[in-house]
Amino acid sequence: MLKRSDIVVFSVTALAVAVAAVLQFTGGNDILRFVVAAVALSLLAMNVSTGTEQVGNYLSSGATGVLQAALGNLPELLVCAFSLRAGLIEVVQAALIGSILANSLLVLGVAILVGGIKHGRMRFDAESPRMIVSLMMVAVAALAFPTLAAELHTPAANHEDALSAACAILLLVMFVASLRFTLSADPERSLRHAPPKPDVTAQHWPLWLAITVLVIASLAAALVSEWFVSALEPAIHTLGISQAFAGIVIVAIAGNAVENVAGIRLMAKNRPDYAMSVILSSSLLIALVVCPALVLLSFALGGAAFTLVMPPLLIAALLLTTLTSAIIVNDGETIWLEGIALIGLYCIIAASFWWG
Amino acid sequence: MLKRSDIVVFSVTALAVAVAAVLQFTGGNDILRFVVAAVALSLLAMNVSTGTEQVGNYLSSGATGVLQAALGNLPELLVCAFSLRAGLIEVVQAALIGSILANSLLVLGVAILVGGIKHGRMRFDAESPRMIVSLMMVAVAALAFPTLAAELHTPAANHEDALSAACAILLLVMFVASLRFTLSADPERSLRHAPPKPDVTAQHWPLWLAITVLVIASLAAALVSEWFVSALEPAIHTLGISQAFAGIVIVAIAGNAVENVAGIRLMAKNRPDYAMSVILSSSLLIALVVCPALVLLSFALGGAAFTLVMPPLLIAALLLTTLTSAIIVNDGETIWLEGIALIGLYCIIAASFWWG
Amino acid sequence: MLKRSDIVVFSVTALAVAVAAVLQFTGGNDILRFVVAAVALSLLAMNVSTGTEQVGNYLSSGATGVLQAALGNLPELLVCAFSLRAGLIEVVQAALIGSILANSLLVLGVAILVGGIKHGRMRFDAESPRMIVSLMMVAVAALAFPTLAAELHTPAANHEDALSAACAILLLVMFVASLRFTLSADPERSLRHAPPKPDVTAQHWPLWLAITVLVIASLAAALVSEWFVSALEPAIHTLGISQAFAGIVIVAIAGNAVENVAGIRLMAKNRPDYAMSVILSSSLLIALVVCPALVLLSFALGGAAFTLVMPPLLIAALLLTTLTSAIIVNDGETIWLEGIALIGLYCIIAASFWWG
């Protein structure tokens, strides 16, 4: 029923969570606490992802898609929600945009580099990545408007809550429409980035186990997210880095580490179109779901409002990144040099946020 | 000679103009006056368009193109000119950019949505739409410079009249060059977005009738435009909306209503490349002809100068819209989800201008 | 050994250098001094370029690529370095960005126009130009960050030296990686914009002559660059134009005149993909090599620091130009109208910098 590798993963995860708990309650070294919590959170994210896949074996492919969309970004959503409660608004903003940057520049860059080194010039069927990039462009343009309105001192600047809420609702409507699309059985009407997964059947869990893993991992993720956030502020302080840099680099990479490895591995296996779809739709979901969900959540929770009015440099980085990835994807061909260029751009953006 | 449907259209138009006249001179309810004037103007625009087509039967296809370009945007040009005279500069700016946004986002979005629902994933020969989008990108970049120079406080900011005039003249030069292109008989040298119109011969008017309809409709459009503008300001006041919102949404949609239906209908008939060409070249003409013509006209008329220095949020919206439509068109494929995304982006932009 | 045409070129160059020297040391009319120095510099640039090609006959194609990249932009680098020493920072900034604009708009526009007039609608294999444009987009986004960080008043604005140096180093890393790419013998891994040059063998120089020409021309270029710069400031003063306009138009066109003719000629010979690769990779080298090299050089030389924080209108022009050329190239097809549009955009940008 369970393979040895599953048992190893469970054990390591449990161990990491236990160590994180000990450090959390004994008040250990800030940096160590932060690192262990980050590792535990990544491992839990992997278990949530595996659990979702396993439950998916008992559901239609459409329902699996919905489940994945809902739970795949759960750890990130939890971390951001706890950070908001802790008043770390700057971290949350940077972590959200940073996740998109990390996916669309760093992960895509590494994937293209690895693929290019192994397979030379890669040509791919760009249909599905192009569609994702088109939707991304629309979503990012929409996401940018509250900040543009505020920065340009338009009358809407005095109504940033209302404008952000309107944008959030429209982004969620786009997301629901996209679900409707993903759910469609007709391949001509779907985004077609869900290829057959041949390995999954080999590791078929019974339903009770899949659900148990999913529930326990999700609950543990909620706990560890809180520890992660509580260690975040002292760690930032000790390391002497800016809130923005912590969000855009550390939280963004920690929050997306596991799912990102999948995309890079697919590229190494010479499946560039699927790899790009996986990497880019991860960015798309953050823009279409996580950002608007947090806005509406923050209104519901009260306290410090989290609006879509972000630091303008973040929005500029987001727009340039989206345009760059659109142009890179559109030519239906990659070389490793493009990978290096994307990684370089990511480093330059990160450097711009280094000073606090 | 005249079909029943023609007679119905003439009668309804005449009726609408008459009611608009009565309301205008009896000083009826502001909103009602405004709505009736808008309807009358839309109907007249349709008659101008039909008249142009009918006169075109007696001209070479090249000369027809020139005539269409000259008269197709006549009602819009008239409304803007009267609004300028009334000092409603903000409305004019918003209406011009709003017309481009309405075409490139709302109408294109609805067309893609309708096409996608009826025909599923649509692949199209993207050659002609891509060419239009390329030219649009250049025109929009050119259009943006006076605003950029002013916003960024460069020395040119003190010479906005001269810079705007220079940009207007260069845009008109591009337009004249594009006419030269459209007029070319050699299909390899033309934009090729003028397919055979099989239905037209069925409804062939004699020349005198075509010219009469064209002249009367144009003159009436001039009259009704003035009423429309005179009702616009009180209507804005009564409704409590901002000048910018009135321009970007109400005037833009009213001014382009009829020609827009054509594009959507073509998409429903599964002719996506022609539909996109029609919709996008309507945007292109506004950037290449209507905007610069109004600038030069305002210098000629004296009074409040209308320059290309616009509110920066309008220009940001224009740039993002153009980039988005370029990316959507470039992949040569549409799905209804892209339609929803475009409509969503239009709503978000409109929302940003809601507050006055 | 030497053809008549070679001897003519050498003689004319020597004459121009001599006249420039006489004017320089007799203190002739400012404008004349400037024009003659510009002509002499252009001719020397042509000789450097021919010398490089001739030396290349004795080297592997990879080493030739490195040599061309290193020496091709030498005159430009020299002019900028001398201008920096003379404190003409505004001219240098404008000349660098202006060179990219001149290549990507003016030269590309003229090439497309000429090609379109001679050959009608040109379809081309867009693979190599698209790749260059993708890299250009990344490089330009990276180049824009120091300015964005400064303009948006982020904390990084106080560290513009450090941020510029970091960006410069990362851009040079990209460049070195791209050399590694160009040098690769495997065509599947190279940028493939080095087609066979059938005419070169006809004009094969002995190695000693090639090296002599290269060395003498390079040394003379260093001398004449200094004269050019020393005449630049009085000429700007006499003509009454702004430093920015002088840089963006005059220095940029003078510095790229000769290599640009090559691209236009290739287009006229109906080799659009090669022509576009030549023109656009010239822009790419300025972004990847010349700009960062000058930044690091200015730190090494001390004196007025030259950072990547530029006037924002220059950066806006750069971004819009890069996006426009990406969209124009991506459709794999050109018509002469696009050429006119690009030239028009260049004129509008130049006009924005007219006032000082």
Side-chain angles (χ1 to χ4, degrees):
Chain A
M1 180 168 92
L2 276 175
K3 291 205 305 184
R4 245 194 84 161
S5 64
D6 291 332
I7 295 170
V8 170
V9 169
F10 289 163
S11 314
V12 173
T13 308
L15 184 71
V17 173
V19 175
V22 169
L23 289 167
Q24 173 69 15
F25 296 112
T26 60
N29 174 284
D30 288 338
I31 309 289
L32 188 68
R33 241 171 81 203
F34 178 71
V35 170
V36 174
V39 170
L41 196 59
S42 291
L43 288 167
L44 286 169
M46 196 172 74
N47 282 295
V48 169
S49 158
T50 319
T52 314
E53 238 169 56
Q54 289 289 346
V55 171
N57 291 330
Y58 299 90
L59 299 173
S60 73
S61 76
T64 311
V66 178
L67 197 65
Q68 279 177 331
L71 293 179
N73 290 292
L74 184 71
E76 191 150 26
L77 201 68
L78 286 169
V79 168
C80 288
F82 284 118
S83 301
L84 272 187
R85 218 187 44 180
L88 300 169
I89 291 194
E90 220 177 307
V91 174
V92 176
Q93 292 174 330
L96 287 174
I97 306 298
S99 296
I100 298 179
L101 302 184
N103 277 315
S104 300
L105 295 179
L106 185 62
V107 179
L108 189 62
V110 171
I112 288 176
L113 180 58
V114 168
I117 288 172
K118 283 191 77 161
H119 306 288
R121 185 180 289 260
M122 298 177 97
R123 288 178 195 78
F124 55 94
D125 173 20
E127 219 169 79
S128 165
R130 272 179 187 166
M131 199 61 84
I132 296 171
V133 149
S134 297
L135 293 172
M136 187 71 191
M137 184 66 214
V138 182
V140 164
L143 214 52
F145 262 83
T147 306
L148 284 170
E151 275 302 301
L152 298 170
H153 308 294
T154 63
N158 303 317
H159 302 269
E160 58 174 81
D161 284 12
L163 183 55
S164 293
C167 288
I169 289 167
L170 281 161
L171 285 168
L172 286 175
V173 168
M174 283 189 216
F175 168 65
V176 172
S178 81
L179 276 185
R180 176 86 186 65
F181 204 88
T182 320
L183 294 183
S184 171
D186 179 356
E188 274 300 289
R189 284 164 191 264
S190 83
L191 281 175
R192 267 193 294 182
H193 57 87
K197 298 166 196 145
D199 325 328
V200 164
T201 41
Q203 221 182 318
H204 217 71
W205 295 351
L207 183 56
W208 67 266
L209 178 65
I211 292 182
T212 308
V213 168
L214 193 55
V215 170
I216 293 182
S218 302
L219 291 176
L223 264 179
V224 178
S225 297
E226 199 171 0
W227 304 343
F228 177 83
V229 172
S230 82
L232 182 59
E233 211 172 5
I236 290 175
H237 215 256
T238 310
L239 291 170
I241 54 178
S242 72
Q243 278 204 23
F245 187 83
I248 216 170
V249 177
I250 298 179
V251 180
I253 293 182
N256 294 282
V258 178
E259 33 169 353
N260 292 341
V261 172
I264 296 170
R265 220 186 264 157
L266 281 165
M267 200 65 122
K269 284 185 197 156
N270 206 357
R271 298 179 61 186
D273 25 350
Y274 185 30
M276 290 193 161
S277 296
V278 166
I279 295 169
L280 295 170
S281 54
S282 180
S283 287
L284 182 60
L285 279 182
I286 294 165
L288 283 188
V289 186
V290 183
C291 286
L294 277 171
V295 169
L296 299 183
L297 205 69
S298 93
F299 289 135
L301 294 177
F306 174 74
T307 70
L308 293 177
V309 177
M310 310 244 185
L313 189 61
L314 275 181
I315 295 296
L318 181 61
L319 284 171
L320 285 176
T321 296
T322 307
L323 287 169
T324 303
S325 61
I327 288 174
I328 295 258
V329 163
N330 250 300
D331 61 6
E333 215 187 31
T334 61
I335 54 175
W336 59 258
L337 185 51
E338 289 181 327
I340 300 231
L342 289 174
I343 298 169
L345 180 56
Y346 180 77
C347 293
I348 287 176
I349 294 177
S352 310
F353 287 97
W354 175 255
W355 293 278
Chain B
M1 180 168 91
L2 275 175
K3 291 207 306 185
R4 247 194 83 159
S5 64
D6 292 332
I7 296 170
V8 171
V9 169
F10 290 163
S11 316
V12 173
T13 309
L15 184 69
V17 173
V19 175
V22 169
L23 288 168
Q24 173 71 14
F25 295 112
T26 59
N29 174 285
D30 289 336
I31 310 288
L32 188 67
R33 241 170 83 202
F34 178 71
V35 170
V36 173
V39 170
L41 196 58
S42 292
L43 288 167
L44 285 169
M46 197 172 74
N47 281 295
V48 170
S49 158
T50 319
T52 315
E53 237 169 58
Q54 291 288 347
V55 171
N57 291 331
Y58 298 90
L59 299 172
S60 73
S61 76
T64 310
V66 179
L67 197 65
Q68 278 177 331
L71 293 179
N73 289 290
L74 186 70
E76 190 150 26
L77 201 67
L78 286 168
V79 167
C80 287
F82 284 118
S83 299
L84 273 188
R85 216 186 47 182
L88 299 170
I89 291 194
E90 220 178 309
V91 173
V92 175
Q93 292 174 329
L96 287 174
I97 305 298
S99 296
I100 298 179
L101 301 184
N103 277 315
S104 299
L105 294 178
L106 185 62
V107 179
L108 188 60
V110 171
I112 288 176
L113 181 59
V114 168
I117 287 171
K118 282 192 77 161
H119 306 289
R121 187 179 288 259
M122 297 179 98
R123 287 179 195 75
F124 57 93
D125 175 21
E127 222 170 74
S128 165
R130 273 179 187 167
M131 199 62 85
I132 297 171
V133 150
S134 295
L135 293 171
M136 185 71 191
M137 183 66 213
V138 182
V140 164
L143 212 53
F145 262 83
T147 306
L148 283 171
E151 275 301 302
L152 298 170
H153 308 294
T154 65
N158 303 316
H159 303 268
E160 59 174 81
D161 285 14
L163 183 56
S164 292
C167 288
I169 289 167
L170 281 162
L171 285 168
L172 285 175
V173 168
M174 284 189 216
F175 168 65
V176 171
S178 80
L179 275 184
R180 175 89 187 64
F181 204 90
T182 320
L183 294 182
S184 171
D186 178 356
E188 273 300 289
R189 285 164 191 268
S190 83
L191 280 176
R192 268 193 294 182
H193 57 89
K197 299 169 197 140
D199 325 329
V200 164
T201 40
Q203 220 181 319
H204 219 73
W205 294 351
L207 185 56
W208 67 264
L209 177 64
I211 291 182
T212 309
V213 168
L214 193 54
V215 171
I216 293 183
S218 301
L219 290 177
L223 263 179
V224 178
S225 297
E226 200 172 0
W227 303 342
F228 177 83
V229 171
S230 82
L232 181 59
E233 210 173 5
I236 289 175
H237 216 256
T238 310
L239 291 171
I241 55 177
S242 70
Q243 277 203 25
F245 188 82
I248 217 169
V249 176
I250 298 178
V251 180
I253 293 181
N256 294 283
V258 178
E259 29 170 356
N260 291 341
V261 173
I264 296 170
R265 219 185 266 158
L266 281 165
M267 200 65 121
K269 284 186 196 154
N270 206 357
R271 297 180 62 186
D273 26 350
Y274 186 31
M276 289 194 163
S277 296
V278 166
I279 294 170
L280 294 169
S281 54
S282 180
S283 286
L284 183 60
L285 280 181
I286 294 166
L288 283 188
V289 186
V290 183
C291 285
L294 276 170
V295 169
L296 299 182
L297 205 70
S298 93
F299 289 134
L301 295 177
F306 174 74
T307 69
L308 293 177
V309 177
M310 309 243 183
L313 190 59
L314 275 181
I315 295 295
L318 181 61
L319 283 172
L320 285 176
T321 296
T322 308
L323 287 170
T324 302
S325 61
I327 288 175
I328 295 259
V329 163
N330 249 299
D331 62 5
E333 213 187 33
T334 60
I335 53 176
W336 59 259
L337 184 52
E338 289 181 327
I340 300 230
L342 289 172
I343 298 169
L345 181 55
Y346 180 77
C347 293
I348 287 176
I349 295 177
S352 310
F353 288 97
W354 174 255
W355 293 278
Chain C
M1 181 169 90
L2 276 174
K3 291 204 307 186
R4 247 195 80 162
S5 65
D6 292 332
I7 295 169
V8 170
V9 169
F10 290 162
S11 316
V12 173
T13 308
L15 184 71
V17 174
V19 175
V22 169
L23 289 169
Q24 174 70 15
F25 296 112
T26 59
N29 174 284
D30 289 336
I31 309 288
L32 189 66
R33 239 170 82 202
F34 177 73
V35 170
V36 174
V39 170
L41 196 58
S42 291
L43 288 167
L44 286 168
M46 195 171 75
N47 282 294
V48 170
S49 157
T50 320
T52 314
E53 237 169 57
Q54 291 288 346
V55 170
N57 291 331
Y58 298 90
L59 297 174
S60 72
S61 75
T64 311
V66 179
L67 197 67
Q68 279 177 331
L71 294 178
N73 289 290
L74 186 71
E76 189 149 30
L77 200 67
L78 287 168
V79 167
C80 287
F82 285 117
S83 300
L84 272 188
R85 218 186 45 182
L88 299 169
I89 290 194
E90 220 178 309
V91 173
V92 176
Q93 292 174 329
L96 287 174
I97 306 297
S99 296
I100 298 179
L101 302 184
N103 277 315
S104 301
L105 295 178
L106 185 62
V107 179
L108 188 61
V110 171
I112 288 175
L113 180 58
V114 168
I117 288 171
K118 282 191 80 160
H119 307 288
R121 186 181 290 258
M122 298 178 97
R123 285 177 197 79
F124 56 95
D125 174 21
E127 221 170 76
S128 166
R130 272 178 188 170
M131 199 61 85
I132 296 170
V133 150
S134 295
L135 292 172
M136 186 71 191
M137 183 65 214
V138 182
V140 164
L143 214 52
F145 263 83
T147 306
L148 284 171
E151 275 303 302
L152 298 170
H153 308 295
T154 63
N158 302 317
H159 303 268
E160 59 174 80
D161 285 14
L163 183 55
S164 293
C167 288
I169 290 168
L170 281 161
L171 286 167
L172 285 176
V173 168
M174 282 188 217
F175 168 65
V176 171
S178 81
L179 276 185
R180 176 87 187 64
F181 204 90
T182 321
L183 295 183
S184 171
D186 178 356
E188 273 300 289
R189 285 165 191 266
S190 84
L191 280 175
R192 268 193 297 183
H193 56 87
K197 299 169 197 141
D199 326 329
V200 165
T201 41
Q203 219 180 320
H204 217 72
W205 294 351
L207 183 56
W208 68 264
L209 178 64
I211 292 181
T212 309
V213 167
L214 192 55
V215 170
I216 294 182
S218 300
L219 291 176
L223 265 177
V224 179
S225 297
E226 200 172 0
W227 304 341
F228 177 83
V229 172
S230 81
L232 182 58
E233 209 173 6
I236 288 175
H237 215 257
T238 311
L239 291 171
I241 55 178
S242 71
Q243 278 203 24
F245 188 83
I248 216 169
V249 177
I250 299 178
V251 179
I253 293 181
N256 294 282
V258 178
E259 30 169 354
N260 292 341
V261 173
I264 296 169
R265 219 184 267 156
L266 280 165
M267 200 67 122
K269 284 185 197 155
N270 204 358
R271 298 179 60 188
D273 25 352
Y274 186 30
M276 289 195 163
S277 295
V278 166
I279 295 169
L280 294 171
S281 53
S282 181
S283 287
L284 183 59
L285 279 181
I286 294 165
L288 282 188
V289 187
V290 183
C291 286
L294 277 170
V295 169
L296 298 182
L297 207 70
S298 93
F299 288 135
L301 295 175
F306 174 73
T307 69
L308 292 177
V309 177
M310 310 242 184
L313 189 61
L314 275 181
I315 296 294
L318 180 61
L319 284 171
L320 285 176
T321 296
T322 307
L323 287 170
T324 303
S325 61
I327 289 174
I328 295 259
V329 163
N330 248 300
D331 63 5
E333 216 189 31
T334 61
I335 53 177
W336 60 259
L337 184 53
E338 288 181 326
I340 300 228
L342 288 173
I343 298 168
L345 180 56
Y346 180 77
C347 294
I348 287 177
I349 294 176
S352 310
F353 288 95
W354 174 256
W355 293 277

